[in-house]
Each structure stands twice: as structure tokens, then as C-alpha cells.
Amino acid sequence: PGPLTTVFPNPGSVSPRESSRHPPCRGRKTVRTLTLARSTGVPVLLRPSSMDAKDILGLQKTSFPSAQEKKPRAPKEPQRKPDGVSREVYALTGGVGMAPLMPTIEASHLKRRPAVEKEKVAWQWLPFTSSARTDNLQLYHWVRVVNNVPPTGDYDFAKYNTKVDVLKYTDEEYEKYLTEPTWSREETDQLFELCQRFDLRFIVIADRFPTARSVEDLKSRYYSVTRALLIARARSFDEVAGNPLVKETFNAAHETERKRALSALFSQTKQQERKDAEVLAEAKRIMESRAANKNVEEAGAPTSLPNAAVPADGVSPLSNNLPSSAATHPAAAANTSIPDTLRMLKVYLRTHALDQMVQAVTASAGIRMIKRVDQTLQDLGVNLKPKVPTKAVCAEHLELRNEILTLLNIQKQLQNKEAEVLANRESSFTEAPTTPKRSNRDIDRPFVPDMAGFGEVREQSNGITRGRPLGDLMHPPRQPRARGLGR
Amino acid sequence: APIILSDSPPAAAAGAEPALTAAQKALRSKPARAPEDPDKKNKKLKDVEISFPIVYGTISFWLGKKASEYNSHKWTVYIRSATNEDLSVIVKRVVFQLHPSFTNPTRVVEQPPFELSESGWGEFEIAITLYFHSDVCEKRLDLFHQLKLYPEEDAGPQSTKKPVVVETYDEVVFPEPTEAFFLRVQNHPAATVPRLPPGPMELMSHDKKRFDTKDHSLSQWFSNFSEADELLKLAAARQQVQAHIAKLRRQLSMIEGMPQQSRVISGPGQQFGHG
């Protein structure tokens, strides 16, 4: 046999010399051991090289084995750096090219550079003054001094020392403008002094106020006095008209009510919270369906949702009524309302008008419902868009759509009711009946044009009734046409 | 004059018979006025809707032997009254916007017949814009039509004699016409104006083919759009649906009335195909 013939050696009898003539039927390892055997015994993990190819082919080496081992070893040594990586992977991922091409950190940078600075910077412990302080306390702090020149200017943080301008009135002014039956001069003075002291923090002021007065009361007195003062002192009303104190008056009643409502909301029980959420959700739903019918064109004032303070009692009757009204709601709404986009148009195409009306219904009924309506229309053999859209045809088309919607809603109601009934009965029978599924299949397509499906249904029901005592349910003799089974 | 029966409240289907419409009442009770009265021109008649049934589309002929790669069909795009009456009663001009590869793709037609003929090789969407007379409407109306040159796949080889015709029926509706406009067009055959309910012959007359001899030969290809078919189908469908609803309602009330009895679970699987 020549060097290239494939003669598979007997297992266990492979001698290195012989097997070198055969193509390795195992992996690379075989080849590696060959070179190992051939060499002087020094283990060399080599990258794929021409030596391997020659081994495979069984060709003669052209140079002395020992010399060859030593030479490639040296240059190849630096390349076998990654010990943790297997040789093949290292080769796959680029091998030598893994070393970063750009220097990342220059070691020279790590040495502290003598900073060639133009300025001389020093830090000194110096005294300072702050305009925010009214006493003469002398304080010190570290200051960055540049070129022996200490910084000038006010203390940096003094600007944050904001103050409120609480007006001071003279006796004359008080007599002329600021008297008030429920407030004595003394009290007013005390109030103003506290306001000055506590920067208009009325909660604190109310707490410190000698006589018991509510926060709203104090606020109201303060604001009205200040407002009157401002107006009195100004040469003309216009001068101060821009001042927010003048523009807005403090509404004590509103504030009291607001706080009361807030505390009521905060102290709601869980049940009340739930009820409120329900009412809001329902109101939102109604608003949305109304808005959908009116179309966005109306825009303008968004209708506000009912106040949270509305008593939560009337919720349950509302939620009960909704399912039954939902059936009639889309039908009624779509019939009578003309979308506002149409109202605005001076001229339009009849098909466009029809589209808008259908879209209005879609918005309120939902895309799934509309798909079912479309399917039903197709089953009935009616064009989804009329070919001759005259006024009468369009009106009929819309009416038909609405009626189909009603039909689908009633079907759903019926489905639910039946499921309910079955669920009730399930407690008495242990077997799980599959009839609900069967009723569902036909409900979605009431006008199925082909008859094929019904035979199939019948067979399946026969399978179910076998051996079950519910025969009276499955094949009612007195209703031969129900579900297509009794024929 | 073939005029479709229509009444302003949209809920009224064919066959409703109200008394005089608001417009007619208004007109009859009004004292006689000079026609140049400015009020009259601007006064809008609410609840009166004037509509004009139109048909727009394309007719395309294969050029046969004379067809080249870039000129395989000659076609005409047009807009006409559904009954082939004169649309210039309301239309001042029509602008056809063609594919930009045509020279001067914006073609204006100021007189009836409102049509445009061209030749080419490609199918594209044509924009048809109607501009109305100033007393009719200030706004323009846009329509779109896809030019079709090649017949359906199973129609066989093209012939130079039989064109590919695609027409769409629609109606141009003016919901609040001015009185002047109303008076001008109320008796025009192209218009549909609410009037006293006519006799039963009215519906059928819509089927009659109107052939205006002053038109050119293209009119032989015009389709007839009859609302009668569609109305019948819709009415039949409505009946089916209503019957079904009644049946379901009965079932629903039955179930609601008898909560615990073992009763038949019936679904709406009734066959209507042969019903």
C-alpha cells in the first residue's frame, strides 16, 4: 500500500510508524502524538504547521527533526504566551494580533510631573466676613491664594441668605387702611413680628401665635394687610398691579376646603379607595366612548372627571347597569351622531362620510369587534364598502353594521350566561363537560356559508356522549335544528 | 329627471315619507324677494343636503401592433355625472395630476367633458381634484384613482377593441348649501335634492341607461350603477340579522328565567344558507 491508501489499523495495534501513513481518523491529537513519537521526546505544542500536513500525507521531512524542533521552538515560544487559552482558540481569535496596538498608560506619565505652573498657588488660613452675619463674629477658613493675592468679595454662600420683605406699617397707616373687626392692633403686630422672625412659615407662626388662630386665618390677615399696604403706598394702582400679592388674593375658604378634602382623602379606608377607583374608571370609560363618538375635532375643553370627594355610595348600581347598556350604547351613539370632522367640511364624498361613521363605531366597539362585524358582513354576502354608495345604501349599510354589533353582543351575553349555568351545574356533576367549547365554535360565525363544519361537530359530540349519562343534554329531540346536530 | 329619492335625516331609509322638508317649508313661506338680495346668497340652508352622484375612472386600450415598449396603451381618465348629465353646473375645473414622468403632469380641464387622454406604459395613481364654482363651495375636493392598463390575469390576451374599464361610483355631498346655490341647481338633472317623496317609479329610473349623443364613443363603456341591487341585499341581510337577534333574545330570556333546571344548551348554529 502506498502512502495515501487508507488502511485502517486494528484497534490496539497501532504502531507509530505505521499509523503515520494513514490519514488520521481521529482528531488532531493523533497527529500530535505522531510528532511526539517521532521527536526526541520533548513535548512541543505546536500551532498548525506544515509539519502536520506532511505528517498527514506521510511525506518525508526535508530537514533534520532535531534541528527543526529547536528552531521553530524559539520563535514560537513567545507566541505561546497565553497558558490559559487552548492553542486552537488562541489561533482562532487572532493569535499574535491580540496585543493592544495603542499604548494605554504610559509608565512615564505615572511619575509625578513637575508642574510647570505660571501662577503660584498657596492655601492660607484667613479670616473672612459674611454679609449674612449680623454680629461681628470673626471666622476663619482655608483660602486658595494665588500669587499672594487673597480673593476679594463677599462670602460665597451669603447669597443664599434670602429674606422675606415683611412690610412694616406705621400707626397712621394702620388706622387708615388696615383695621379689621376681628383683628386687634396687638394681634396684628404680633403676627407681623412672627412673620418677620420665621420668614412667613405659617405653620410655625400658627404654632407660636399667642391666641389660637387657624393658619388660614393668619395667612388671610397677613396677605390682606400687605396687599392693602402695597396699594396704599403705591402712587397708582397700575404700579403694583403686576405684583403677585396684589394680583391674587388669598382665598381662605378654598384653602380650608382643600385641606379638608386632602385629609379626608388621606384618611380614607381601603374600601372607600376601591370604590372611588371604580367610579373613576367607569366615568373614564363613559367619557372615552362619548369622546370617541364626538371625534377629536371638538378638542377644546377636556371634560373633567368627577371629584374624588364624590360619595362612593352609588357605585354598584352603576357597574351592574353597564353590561346591558353597552349593547345598545354603540348602536345608539353611532346612529345619531355625525362625526365632527364631517360637520366641518363644506363638501365631502359619500364614501368618506361612511368611512368616518364606521370609524366612529370602531373606536367605541374595539378592533376585534369590528373584525367580527366585517366577517359577518362577508358571510352574509354584503360588500364591506358598498359599490353604489348612495345615501340610502349608506344608511342601510350603517344600520346593518349596528344590528350586527347588537347581535354579537347578545351572543356574548348568551355565551356568558351559558357558561355560568354550566359552572353552576358542574358542582353537581363531576365529569367536566366540554359543551361550552362546542357552543363557542358556532357562536363566532353564525352565518357560516358551508355545511361541512357541522358534520365534524356532530362526530365529536358522539364521542363525548358515549357512555355518559348526559344524553338528554346532547341530543335534544325537541330541537332538531339546534347546532346542526339533530339532522 | 332621474333623481334618487333621498331625505335629509340620515336615518330615513328608502320609503320614508315625511312632509315638506325644512328647505321647502322655508322657501314656500318666505315672501318673494329680489334675487340680488345679498342675504339670500350667503344664507346657508341647514338640514338640506345636495348631492351629486358621480362616477370617475379610467378606460384603457391596448395599442396592439402600434404598441412600443414605452407606449403600450392609450387611456383616458375622466369624471362624469353618474347619469351622464353635465357636471359643469357645479364644477368649475378639474385638475388631473399624473405621474411625474409625464410632461406637464398637472393637467387642467376647464370644460366638460372633464377627461384627459394620454398614452403610456405604466400604471400609477392619478389624483383628480375638483374645483367648484364660487357659489357652490370654496374648498376643493380630491379623489384618487389607480390607472389600470392590464386586464385581470384570467381574461386572456389583450385586444385593441376591448378596453380595461375601472369606474368608481361616489357622491359629492354639500351638507349646507347656500340658498342661491340651492335655487340654481335644484332642478338640474345632475343634482340630488331633497324633495317630496315621489312615486315608486323613481327607484327604477335610476337603472335606465342615459345616453347622451353629444358624448363621444367612450360612453358606450360606461357602467351602470344601480343602487337597487345593493339595497335589496342589504335589506335581506338586515332581516336575517334581526331574526337571529330575536331568536337569541328568546334564548337569553329563557336561560335567565330558569337558573337551576337542566336545560338544552343551544347555540346559534342554525343554518341560514338554505333557510
Side-chain angles (χ1 to χ4, degrees):
Chain A
L4 291 176
T5 47
T6 49
V7 175
F8 292 96
N10 294 329
S13 67
V14 176
S15 72
R17 197 157 275 272
E18 268 173 21
S19 56
S20 72
R21 292 177 174 271
H22 310 298
C25 34
R26 284 177 244 129
R28 280 256 172 233
K29 281 220 161 53
T30 325
V31 183
R32 290 285 74 74
T33 44
L34 288 176
T35 26
L36 193 85
R38 186 158 307 197
S39 73
T40 49
V42 178
V44 177
L45 288 169
L46 296 173
R47 290 172 65 228
S49 69
S50 54
M51 285 192 27
D52 299 324
K54 286 180 185 150
D55 269 334
I56 294 167
L57 295 177
L59 299 176
Q60 292 296 332
K61 295 282 197 287
T62 51
S63 50
F64 292 113
S66 51
Q68 228 173 7
E69 243 76 78
K70 287 216 181 75
K71 223 177 27 177
R73 205 195 318 169
K76 286 204 163 97
E77 271 302 333
Q79 281 174 1
R80 68 168 286 249
K81 276 208 184 93
D83 276 323
V85 189
S86 77
R87 192 185 29 81
E88 282 97 348
V89 176
Y90 180 60
L92 264 179
T93 55
V96 193
M98 291 234 294
L101 297 171
M102 297 283 294
T104 47
I105 302 176
E106 295 227 1
S108 56
H109 285 193
L110 294 173
K111 281 195 204 161
R112 199 181 72 83
R113 296 240 199 122
V116 183
E117 308 244 343
K118 293 137 204 146
E119 320 167 306
K120 183 174 123 172
V121 167
W123 286 86
Q124 295 175 4
W125 181 252
L126 295 176
F128 70 96
T129 50
S130 162
S131 61
R133 294 207 74 90
T134 47
D135 50 18
N136 289 322
L137 179 64
Q138 189 62 270
L139 295 169
Y140 300 79
H141 62 186
W142 285 105
V143 176
R144 186 172 181 269
V145 176
V146 181
N147 289 341
N148 293 327
V149 177
T152 51
D154 194 9
Y155 182 52
D156 270 337
F157 297 99
K159 64 180 182 271
Y160 299 115
N161 190 36
T162 51
K163 285 211 164 299
V164 184
D165 282 329
V166 174
L167 299 179
K168 295 209 186 358
Y169 45 81
T170 63
D171 291 338
E172 195 187 303
E173 282 175 326
Y174 188 87
E175 295 303 314
K176 258 167 94 172
Y177 310 110
L178 310 175
T179 49
E180 168 81 34
T182 46
W183 278 82
S184 70
R185 172 70 199 264
E186 246 181 24
E187 280 191 306
T188 316
D189 285 348
Q190 280 173 331
L191 170 65
F192 268 73
E193 197 263 329
L194 283 174
C195 284
Q196 174 72 47
R197 208 163 118 208
F198 291 115
D199 292 325
L200 291 189
R201 277 176 243 216
F202 282 100
I203 308 290
V204 181
I205 293 168
D207 183 60
R208 302 264 171 154
F209 205 70
T211 44
R213 279 203 186 252
S214 72
V215 175
E216 281 75 44
D217 212 9
L218 298 172
K219 279 190 187 176
S220 154
R221 179 64 176 151
Y222 171 77
Y223 288 124
S224 56
V225 163
T226 315
R227 186 169 191 273
L229 261 187
L230 276 174
I231 294 175
R233 287 180 184 176
R235 279 176 299 242
S236 75
F237 184 76
D238 291 327
E239 223 178 74
V240 284
N243 190 321
L245 275 170
V246 172
K247 261 205 300 200
E248 331 272 342
T249 46
F250 179 72
N251 187 345
H254 182 265
E255 278 296 291
T256 333
E257 181 54 31
R258 179 181 70 81
K259 289 188 181 172
R260 193 197 64 77
L262 197 59
S263 67
L265 188 64
F266 188 62
S267 51
Q268 261 184 349
T269 63
K270 257 224 166 43
Q271 198 182 19
Q272 273 177 312
E273 247 179 66
R274 255 189 307 116
K275 280 198 185 151
D276 278 352
E278 267 176 59
V279 174
L280 283 175
E282 217 136 276
K284 189 171 170 202
R285 248 180 290 154
I286 297 176
M287 292 298 175
E288 272 170 9
S289 60
R290 277 202 209 141
N293 285 335
K294 283 193 179 153
N295 242 334
V296 193
E297 203 72 29
E298 202 106 61
T303 43
S304 58
L305 295 175
N307 205 336
V310 165
D313 311 312
V315 176
S316 21
L318 197 63
S319 46
N320 276 339
N321 285 334
L322 200 61
S324 43
S325 62
T328 52
H329 183 71
N335 232 346
T336 51
S337 74
I338 302 174
D340 289 320
T341 45
L342 278 187
R343 279 212 200 112
M344 307 278 277
L345 291 177
K346 298 273 172 59
V347 61
Y348 56 83
L349 284 173
R350 183 87 60 199
T351 46
H352 175 72
L354 184 63
D355 269 345
Q356 294 285 311
M357 305 282 257
V358 172
Q359 266 184 42
V361 174
T362 309
S364 65
I367 190 83
R368 252 188 236 159
M369 217 42 167
I370 294 306
K371 286 215 163 98
R372 289 173 65 192
V373 172
D374 283 353
Q375 183 64 60
T376 315
L377 281 171
Q378 278 182 338
D379 290 340
L380 285 164
V382 169
N383 297 318
L384 287 181
K385 292 195 183 219
K387 286 271 179 289
V388 189
T390 63
K391 191 168 174 133
V393 166
C394 289
E396 285 285 301
H397 188 93
L398 276 173
E399 292 289 322
L400 180 58
R401 273 184 182 262
N402 286 334
E403 280 166 6
I404 293 177
L405 259 180
T406 313
L407 175 65
L408 292 175
N409 282 329
I410 294 189
Q411 272 180 356
K412 199 188 277 190
Q413 276 185 26
L414 195 59
Q415 248 179 308
N416 293 341
K417 268 281 180 282
E418 288 181 355
E420 230 180 80
V421 164
L422 273 171
N424 287 342
R425 205 174 304 118
E426 226 166 85
S427 51
S428 31
F429 300 124
T430 48
E431 303 95 306
T434 58
T435 36
K437 292 197 184 71
R438 276 183 32 224
S439 65
N440 285 350
R441 187 177 311 152
D442 299 333
I443 272 183
D444 281 356
R445 298 279 299 269
F447 301 106
V448 176
D450 63 320
M451 308 241 214
F454 287 87
E456 172 197 316
V457 171
R458 191 192 320 173
E459 276 162 24
Q460 203 171 37
S461 75
N462 280 337
I464 295 168
T465 54
R466 224 180 299 134
R468 287 162 62 99
L470 298 175
D472 60 318
L473 277 180
M474 301 305 169
H475 293 287
R478 56 188 185 279
Q479 284 204 11
R481 281 166 75 74
R483 330 162 92 343
L485 296 175
R487 58 191 81 241
Chain B
I3 293 170
I4 309 165
L5 167 69
S6 67
D7 222 291
S8 27
E17 293 185 325
L20 291 181
T21 62
Q24 286 157 330
K25 277 195 195 143
L27 288 177
R28 286 192 191 186
S29 58
K30 210 186 279 289
R33 282 180 179 222
E36 294 86 47
D37 195 330
D39 284 347
K40 210 181 206 183
K41 287 205 182 70
N42 296 327
K43 179 168 162 218
K44 290 214 168 109
L45 300 172
K46 313 218 178 231
D47 298 334
V48 177
E49 185 186 275
I50 304 185
S51 58
F52 289 80
I54 54 165
V55 173
Y56 60 94
T58 51
I59 296 184
S60 134
F61 287 90
W62 183 49
L63 288 174
K65 287 189 305 207
K66 297 185 238 159
S68 74
E69 198 182 337
Y70 291 108
N71 223 329
S72 59
H73 291 75
K74 74 172 192 292
W75 50 267
T76 307
V77 59
Y78 58 88
I79 175 163
R80 62 179 175 91
S81 153
T83 46
N84 295 327
E85 303 298 340
D86 184 12
L87 271 185
S88 60
V89 61
I90 48 164
V91 172
K92 186 163 66 174
R93 66 172 182 275
V94 177
V95 176
F96 297 95
Q97 185 70 32
L98 305 179
H99 192 268
S101 59
F102 283 85
T103 51
N104 301 328
T106 313
R107 308 284 173 91
V108 182
V109 180
E110 311 241 358
Q111 269 142 60
F114 295 107
E115 62 183 40
L116 174 75
S117 298
E118 258 291 351
S119 63
W121 58 271
E123 302 181 337
F124 56 91
E125 187 181 70
I126 305 176
I128 307 171
T129 310
L130 304 180
Y131 291 89
F132 303 102
H133 294 297
S134 44
D135 69 327
V136 173
C137 182
E138 298 289 328
K139 304 263 177 161
R140 58 186 237 199
L141 188 63
D142 295 304
L143 304 156
F144 299 92
H145 182 83
Q146 182 74 12
L147 169 66
K148 191 158 165 4
L149 302 177
Y150 299 94
E152 296 298 330
E153 293 191 5
D154 50 358
Q158 299 188 77
S159 107
T160 52
K161 300 271 186 291
K162 247 185 112 207
V164 172
V165 181
V166 182
E167 284 192 315
T168 309
Y169 175 99
D170 213 324
E171 298 192 343
V172 179
V173 181
F174 300 96
E176 273 186 359
T178 59
E179 199 167 335
F181 170 39
F182 181 86
L183 291 173
R184 182 160 76 79
V185 302
Q186 62 174 334
N187 287 319
H188 194 279
T192 302
V193 161
R195 24 188 93 222
L196 286 173
M201 293 305 288
E202 206 75 334
L203 266 177
M204 306 249 296
S205 59
H206 191 49
D207 280 356
K208 205 165 50 172
K209 196 164 152 176
R210 291 268 308 199
F211 211 103
D212 252 293
T213 48
K214 68 178 193 283
D215 283 349
H216 45 73
S217 59
L218 275 187
S219 46
Q220 65 184 292
W221 305 110
F222 290 166
S223 340
N224 246 336
F225 289 91
S226 148
E227 66 166 349
D229 280 341
E230 203 132 29
L231 274 179
L232 278 172
K233 213 177 236 172
L234 284 172
R238 282 187 71 184
Q239 267 201 342
Q240 279 194 10
V241 172
Q242 282 161 9
H244 210 174
I245 289 178
K247 175 167 171 264
L248 289 188
R249 283 217 169 108
R250 278 199 302 276
Q251 287 181 355
L252 196 59
S253 60
M254 265 171 45
I255 290 191
E256 276 169 350
M258 314 187 300
Q260 288 310 316
Q261 281 179 29
S262 110
R263 107 197 87 243
V264 174
I265 310 294
S266 53
Q270 191 160 1
Q271 298 277 353
F272 279 90
H274 63 324

